[in-house]
Amino acid sequence: MTKKILTVCFLLLLMIPVMAGKLSLETQALPSSVSLSWNDTDGAVYYDIYSGADFIVRLDSAVHEYSVENLLSDTSYNFSIAARTEDNNTLDAAFATVKTTSWDGIYEWVNETDNDNHGKVKSLRLRVETAVSEKVGQYHNIYMCMDDGSEMKIFPLYDFSDPAAGEWVDFDDEGKAGTSYRINASRFNTSPFNPQKWRLDKVVIDYDSSYAYIQTSALGFVVDTVSSCRFYIDNGAMKMSFGTEGSGIADAVLFKNPNPEEGDAFILTRIE
């Protein structure tokens, strides 16, 4: 069954009379996905799912739930499902409009140990804000909440159209990107040495994650690091995995999550 034929079938299901209350479509929205579930339809061999007029998937009649992934947050979507026979006749159809939720909010991690990098990492608090750029589409601004009540943007370090992105920056640079990098580098650096300069190599953005690849020059060496921020749901709670990995000596001097059984990345929970 080609996508073209299934799209035609979608148009036809809009024209057929549907028996009210026979096939129903339930939805549960998350920030970057929507869970669909439906009841059984007598005689159905397949269930075809659409987003708008776009065919998504054909499922066996034994399946009654499906998760649509990689969706934009805080965005409305129209889903439909058609119960069909082996000969592709539509028995019934159901429709639902649902709006995804958002990852926005304040996330917190608390150090449960005495290992806090000389008092610099007793806790972490980050604020997430959905944003849209003509160049990259939807993404997330991430701000670090400072002890004095102020905020500092840590992602992205540059506007996506800023020509300065990718250039080498002195560690003592007082610009916005330089200041943000220096404060974060100092907080998570466990060695007594500071890098001489750094540059943003590239940025990768997905529906529920962001990655910043940075090159750092220190003591005559150039090393690579990647800082990541990934959102997910765990037991109904919104979580953020925040961490940095490096090559060679860079990884050895990075402060990692000291909390037991959490791994190297800092696991933050949305608190508001």
Side-chain angles (χ1 to χ4, degrees):
M1 178 66 65
T2 66
K3 183 174 180 180
K4 182 176 180 180
I5 294 175
L6 289 168
T7 300
V8 172
C9 291
F10 167 79
L11 298 175
L12 290 174
L13 75 86
L14 295 177
M15 301 169 59
I16 65 170
V18 177
M19 295 176 61
K22 186 177 181 182
L23 177 63
S24 62
L25 180 60
E26 302 293 332
T27 64
Q28 181 181 9
L30 295 173
S32 53
S33 65
V34 170
S35 296
L36 307 176
S37 60
W38 54 94
N39 58 306
D40 189 36
T41 299
D42 290 341
V45 177
Y46 306 112
Y47 292 105
D48 291 340
I49 298 176
Y50 298 82
S51 175
D54 295 328
F55 171 73
I56 298 178
V57 67
R58 164 162 281 188
L59 301 170
D60 183 86
S61 61
V63 181
H64 295 94
E65 58 184 24
Y66 185 79
S67 181
V68 184
E69 308 289 340
N70 297 331
L71 300 178
L72 297 175
S73 63
D74 196 28
T75 301
S76 293
Y77 289 90
N78 296 314
F79 294 105
S80 57
I81 182 170
R84 292 199 165 110
T85 66
E86 182 70 42
D87 296 329
N88 214 43
N89 294 319
T90 302
L91 298 171
D92 206 345
F95 307 84
T97 298
V98 58
K99 187 175 184 179
T100 52
T101 57
S102 171
W103 294 113
D104 291 9
I106 295 178
Y107 294 73
E108 185 177 55
W109 170 87
V110 177
N111 195 335
E112 300 172 355
T113 75
D114 294 329
N115 178 12
D116 57 13
N117 197 19
H118 306 289
K120 293 186 289 185
V121 193
K122 293 182 178 294
S123 64
L124 291 174
R125 185 173 284 201
L126 303 178
R127 185 174 70 84
V128 177
E129 173 188 76
T130 301
V132 177
S133 163
E134 291 185 1
K135 188 171 184 179
V136 302
Q138 189 178 95
Y139 68 99
H140 296 95
N141 286 319
I142 302 173
Y143 300 85
M144 182 167 287
C145 303
M146 311 304 290
D147 293 339
D148 62 2
S150 63
E151 292 183 336
M152 178 182 64
K153 184 190 284 190
I154 61 174
F155 184 88
L157 288 172
Y158 294 93
D159 292 337
F160 294 108
S161 58
D162 192 336
E167 296 179 358
W168 284 98
V169 181
D170 290 336
F171 184 74
D172 294 327
D173 182 82
E174 296 293 337
K176 288 184 179 180
T179 300
S180 177
Y181 173 85
R182 183 174 62 257
I183 291 176
N184 275 283
S186 299
R187 189 172 194 181
F188 296 102
N189 181 7
T190 64
S191 79
F193 306 102
N194 290 323
Q196 280 79 51
K197 56 184 180 179
W198 63 275
R199 64 177 291 271
L200 178 64
D201 186 25
K202 66 177 178 179
V203 170
V204 177
I205 296 172
D206 206 343
Y207 295 92
D208 51 12
S209 61
S210 303
Y211 300 84
Y213 294 78
I214 291 177
Q215 288 187 320
T216 303
S217 176
L219 303 175
F221 298 95
V222 175
V223 296
D224 297 304
T225 60
V226 54
S227 295
S228 63
C229 178
R230 292 173 290 169
F231 301 100
Y232 62 99
I233 306 291
D234 181 28
N235 291 324
M238 290 188 179
K239 301 277 189 174
M240 174 198 298
S241 173
F242 174 76
T244 301
E245 297 179 354
S247 62
I249 191 173
D251 199 63
V253 302
L254 285 170
F255 183 74
K256 303 295 181 64
N257 184 358
N259 287 347
E261 300 181 359
E262 287 187 359
D264 289 341
F266 300 91
I267 307 301
L268 294 83
T269 302
R270 196 176 79 166
I271 59 173
E272 58 181 89

